[in-house]
PDB file of all heavy atoms in Angstrom:
ATOM      1  N   ASN A  46      -6.668 -28.284  -5.666  1.00 95.00           N
ATOM      2  CA  ASN A  46      -8.111 -28.266  -5.906  1.00 95.00           C
ATOM      3  C   ASN A  46      -8.577 -28.745  -7.281  1.00 95.00           C
ATOM      4  O   ASN A  46      -9.666 -29.318  -7.384  1.00 95.00           O
ATOM      5  CB  ASN A  46      -8.667 -26.871  -5.629  1.00 95.00           C
ATOM      6  CG  ASN A  46      -8.738 -26.572  -4.140  1.00 95.00           C
ATOM      7  OD1 ASN A  46      -8.452 -27.436  -3.312  1.00 95.00           O
ATOM      8  ND2 ASN A  46      -9.100 -25.353  -3.783  1.00 95.00           N
ATOM      9  N   GLY A 134      -7.240 -25.875  14.156  1.00 95.00           N
ATOM     10  CA  GLY A 134      -7.179 -25.688  15.595  1.00 95.00           C
ATOM     11  C   GLY A 134      -7.796 -26.829  16.374  1.00 95.00           C
ATOM     12  O   GLY A 134      -7.157 -27.394  17.287  1.00 95.00           O
ATOM     13  N   ALA A 154       1.923 -23.356  14.312  1.00 95.00           N
ATOM     14  CA  ALA A 154       0.822 -23.657  15.232  1.00 95.00           C
ATOM     15  C   ALA A 154       1.218 -24.703  16.257  1.00 95.00           C
ATOM     16  O   ALA A 154       0.746 -24.687  17.400  1.00 95.00           O
ATOM     17  CB  ALA A 154      -0.398 -24.137  14.444  1.00 95.00           C
ATOM     18  N   ALA A 204      -6.485 -13.567 -15.646  1.00 98.00           N
ATOM     19  CA  ALA A 204      -5.880 -13.723 -16.967  1.00 98.00           C
ATOM     20  C   ALA A 204      -6.266 -12.511 -17.807  1.00 98.00           C
ATOM     21  O   ALA A 204      -7.356 -11.959 -17.667  1.00 98.00           O
ATOM     22  CB  ALA A 204      -6.382 -14.997 -17.629  1.00 98.00           C
TER      23      ALA A 204
END
Side-chain angles (χ1 to χ4, degrees):
N46 286 355

